Amino acid sequence: MRLSVLDRSHTMQGRSPQYALQETVRFAQQAEALGYHRFWVAEHHSVPGVAGAAPTVLAAAIAAATSRIRVGTGGVMLPNHQPLVVAEQFGVLGSLFPERVDVGLGRSVGFTSGIRRALGRDKDAADRFGEQLVELLGYLSGQPGRFPGVHAVAAEGLPMPVFLLATGSGADTAAEFGLPLVIAAAHGDDRMIDTIDAYRERFRPSAWAARPYVVLARSVAVADTSEEARRLLVPEAWATAESRLRGEFPPLEPPEQVLAREMSERERTQFERALRGHVFGTADEVAVELKELTARTGADELLVTTTAYDPADRLDSYRRLAALT
């Protein structure tokens, strides 16, 4: 199974957002050297713990700093933008870095009312995702429909695959439009597998994909011991717990600081919940679990989303994972 990377440019306690973005570019170079297939970046607005707000801009920096690895977005949140602008941005990327650019799209809209107002969007913008997707695909293929005569000139006809994130009804939309699907187990593996099965059953072959293609997003941590691997997951788990309790995802803290914290019962519950659903352990343990996961899902590709407070620890985990293939 292909191995790829999704990096969210998490900020770290005591380090600037600028450092996080520069580290993402360095990490992409390292991932390329390790043989990973793709390197994607995400879109988040006004989140203290995430510096990645402009994925196509960051993808351009990554593509310029690398030479072989595919580069893309996981994803651009289409309801936040005008489809023409998105098509033009990817057209520039695809023109400057031919045969290397992926168009990854999601249907989420700004998380808070303030962010939505700042973006000029309303809470119902995601309900129009299907219309926006039709418009965007038209620009990319050179067949604009809603605005005849309007073209994303640099994008037309470029071989840029389009992927949909399975947020909300994203899996149904991917099947309807004949697009590859990116999915995580947000509600557990059983529900995810049911969604994948339905996607494959309903998939309609298209000019974008002849058959269903499933990219499974999963956090995977590999270390000398299972305990060390689990420790890598602690900073993001605590930030996730904080976001569920207080509505804001903070910068990542060192694992020893998190583990020394006196947590309330509610905090401990959310923290333990955030530590579920990951693949972690020694190389042998992870190999067995990934083999089982692949057999259950039939996934074509694994999009690894692991974050650690120390970039060196994260790189070591990715190096150990790459060595398994």
Side-chain angles (χ1 to χ4, degrees):
M1 184 165 57
R2 286 174 169 169
L3 293 178
S4 297
V5 179
L6 171 64
D7 188 75
R8 298 184 179 90
S9 301
H10 283 116
T11 60
M12 311 297 175
Q13 188 180 75
R15 293 173 177 168
S16 68
Q18 291 74 33
Y19 174 87
L21 292 168
Q22 292 160 6
E23 184 57 39
T24 289
V25 177
R26 284 190 289 268
F27 182 35
Q29 293 172 317
Q30 295 162 339
E32 179 176 70
L34 291 173
Y36 282 84
H37 182 60
R38 310 180 200 273
F39 194 98
W40 285 359
V41 291
E43 176 185 341
H44 296 274
H45 298 283
S46 191
V47 179
V50 180
T56 53
V57 177
L58 185 53
I62 291 166
T66 55
S67 60
R68 300 182 307 278
I69 196 167
R70 295 195 64 86
V71 177
T73 55
V76 167
M77 296 299 121
L78 193 52
N80 289 337
H81 309 282
Q82 293 294 343
L84 175 61
V85 175
V86 174
E88 290 175 332
Q89 289 174 347
F90 277 104
V92 172
L93 271 172
S95 298
L96 295 176
F97 307 101
E99 306 287 344
R100 292 182 59 204
V101 173
D102 301 324
V103 183
L105 305 170
R107 67 183 300 276
S108 297
V109 70
F111 182 66
T112 68
S113 58
I115 295 171
R116 291 191 293 271
R117 286 197 300 271
L119 291 171
R121 294 295 182 267
D122 55 49
K123 193 173 183 178
D124 298 328
D127 295 339
R128 299 186 289 276
F129 179 71
E131 299 173 15
Q132 291 180 306
L133 182 59
V134 168
E135 185 178 343
L136 175 61
L137 295 179
Y139 291 132
L140 295 179
S141 63
Q143 299 175 334
R146 185 180 177 192
F147 301 103
V150 177
H151 296 265
V153 178
E156 292 185 348
L158 289 182
M160 296 186 293
V162 179
F163 298 76
L164 284 193
L165 277 61
T167 308
S169 60
D172 292 337
T173 305
E176 178 185 354
F177 283 80
L179 298 173
L181 176 70
V182 184
I183 188 167
H187 303 287
D189 281 355
D190 290 343
R191 185 165 170 183
M192 178 186 69
I193 291 169
D194 288 343
T195 301
I196 291 172
D197 289 343
Y199 160 74
R200 291 190 175 114
E201 181 180 343
R202 299 168 186 168
F203 184 87
R204 300 177 182 176
S206 71
W208 302 96
R211 64 174 186 84
Y213 191 90
V214 176
V215 181
L216 176 60
R218 183 64 61 102
S219 177
V220 183
V222 193
D224 275 334
T225 67
S226 183
E227 181 181 354
E228 289 175 8
R230 186 178 186 272
R231 189 180 180 87
L232 295 179
L233 304 170
V234 163
E236 186 172 0
W238 173 249
T240 300
E242 286 264 73
S243 70
R244 289 170 177 166
L245 292 168
R246 298 175 179 86
E248 190 172 85
F249 190 97
L252 302 186
E253 299 178 18
E256 58 272 13
Q257 182 174 313
V258 174
L259 294 173
R261 185 185 300 274
E262 290 188 11
M263 300 182 191
S264 68
E265 184 176 345
R266 289 184 68 228
E267 288 173 334
R268 176 66 62 181
T269 297
Q270 290 296 340
F271 176 60
E272 295 294 341
R273 177 184 170 192
L275 281 170
R276 298 174 195 153
H278 308 276
V279 176
F280 67 91
T282 65
D284 288 343
E285 291 168 339
V286 167
V288 170
E289 191 165 348
L290 288 181
K291 184 177 180 180
E292 293 174 352
L293 184 63
T294 302
R296 291 187 68 198
T297 63
D300 301 281
E301 186 171 337
L302 179 65
L303 185 66
V304 187
T305 64
T306 311
T307 299
Y309 181 80
D310 187 336
D313 290 339
R314 175 184 60 184
L315 178 60
D316 181 67
S317 177
Y318 275 85
R319 182 182 291 114
R320 291 170 187 266
L321 177 60
L324 296 178
T325 60

